[in-house]
Amino acid sequence: MNVSAILLFILLFLMVFVGGEKGANSFLSLCLNFITFFAMLILITNQLDPIKVTIIGCIVISSMTLFLINGINNKSISSLLSVILVVIFTMLLTYKMGTDANIQGFNIEQLEYIPIQSSGIHLDFSKVVFCEILLGLLGAIIDVSISISSSMNELYKNNLYITKSSLFKSGFNIGQDILGTMTNTLLFAYIGGFMTLIIRFVKLNYSILDMLNSKAFCSEVFQVMCSGIGIILIIPITAFISSTLIFLQFKQAKE
């Protein structure tokens, strides 16, 4: 048994031990999402549009994650709708701005290798960069969205006389508390990814200006900024959709 298998079993044991049934469902969703990710890679390498495949893949991953862990209920549906809207908007934004800025994210070594790969397998690698941004953002916006939606549902259950505007404001305030920590999480996740790149720049005696103007560094900064925008957008969108669905459900129950 190799190290990966041992770590997998440890992860499964801890998730079930700590989380019980939800932990087991979380592990199942993790495995299914891993399979979905590889299915996306296969589709992309078979000449399907990477952006379309990624958007559909993100919706599938979000659905499995939310419904397996939280069940099919109001908070999961609210969260899923919010995530879909943010995924589509973020992709449109990153693709438009990234194309205008000629964001590619390949370093010097890759620049000699990627054109050969692109012509050999007929794949536009510049689109793959935008897909990476979206996939890197997905887990964070799902986390923020379900946290806000779940909190708003609990608030309503404990105060049935709360108004729709007050519920929306409460959800927005909850999102503001999450915003700071989540943006820091994304920042350090990306920083950890290009630590070796920065070290390489320092060793090669690059100036600060050279670092800031390098394609690889600009690509990483671009990912952080776009991810931050996605995190910000998920807060008001989730608060609005959750408050709307909660009061729509309450209205139907009264009728």
Side-chain angles (χ1 to χ4, degrees), residues 137-151:
L137 171 66
L138 185 62
I141 60 175
I142 291 174
D143 188 22
V144 173
S145 183
I146 193 62
S147 297
I148 296 172
S149 179
S150 181
S151 300

Side-chain angles (χ1 to χ4, degrees), residues 2-228:
N2 58 28
V3 175
S4 299
I6 294 171
L7 290 174
L8 185 66
F9 281 117
I10 293 173
L11 177 64
L12 173 60
F13 172 76
L14 290 175
M15 290 182 76
V16 174
F17 180 75
V18 175
E21 184 181 351
K22 280 201 171 184
N25 289 336
S26 298
F27 184 81
L28 176 60
S29 72
L30 186 66
C31 294
L32 292 174
N33 290 341
F34 192 72
I35 293 169
T36 303
F37 174 71
F38 271 95
M40 289 167 57
L41 293 180
I42 292 170
L43 292 173
I44 289 172
T45 54
N46 280 280
Q47 315 308 320
L48 271 72
D49 188 340
I51 292 178
K52 292 177 182 177
V53 170
T54 302
I55 290 176
I56 294 171
C58 286
I59 294 172
V60 172
I61 289 171
S62 302
S63 301
M64 289 191 297
T65 301
L66 292 167
F67 293 142
L68 274 175
I69 298 173
N70 300 288
I72 302 176
N73 49 46
N74 186 62
K75 61 184 178 182
S76 296
I77 295 172
S78 301
S79 182
L80 178 62
L81 292 174
S82 304
V83 169
I84 291 172
L85 288 175
V86 171
V87 162
I88 293 172
F89 181 82
T90 305
M91 178 56 83
L92 292 173
L93 177 67
T94 56
Y95 187 72
K96 171 62 178 172
M97 296 186 67
T99 303
D100 292 343
N102 196 26
I103 293 292
Q104 294 176 353
F106 302 129
N107 58 36
I108 296 171
E109 291 81 4
Q110 289 174 316
L111 286 173
E112 298 176 358
Y113 178 67
I114 291 299
I116 300 172
Q117 283 285 82
S118 298
S119 60
I121 63 175
H122 309 290
L123 182 62
D124 185 357
F125 275 86
S126 61
K127 288 186 177 181
V128 177
V129 175
F130 305 118
C131 299
E132 289 176 2
I133 295 172
L134 205 58
L135 287 170
L137 171 66
L138 185 62
I141 60 175
I142 291 174
D143 188 22
V144 173
S145 183
I146 193 62
S147 297
I148 296 172
S149 179
S150 181
S151 300
M152 290 176 69
N153 274 269
E154 290 300 317
L155 281 171
Y156 181 75
K157 287 179 183 178
N158 288 285
N159 184 9
L160 296 175
Y161 298 101
I162 191 172
T163 63
K164 183 179 178 180
S165 59
S166 296
L167 185 62
F168 171 80
K169 187 176 180 181
S170 296
F172 194 84
N173 290 336
I174 292 166
Q176 286 178 327
D177 292 335
I178 301 171
L179 177 63
T181 54
M182 190 54 66
T183 49
N184 272 297
T185 300
L186 282 172
L187 173 64
F188 286 108
Y190 283 117
I191 285 176
F194 64 85
M195 275 183 65
T196 52
L197 177 66
I198 296 175
I199 292 171
R200 180 176 181 274
F201 284 157
V202 173
K203 286 292 185 181
L204 292 175
N205 297 317
Y206 276 44
S207 67
I208 298 295
L209 191 60
D210 289 334
M211 290 185 192
L212 294 176
N213 283 303
S214 68
K215 282 189 174 183
F217 188 81
C218 289
S219 175
E220 296 292 345
V221 173
F222 181 78
Q223 291 182 48
V224 173
M225 296 298 104
C226 291
S227 297

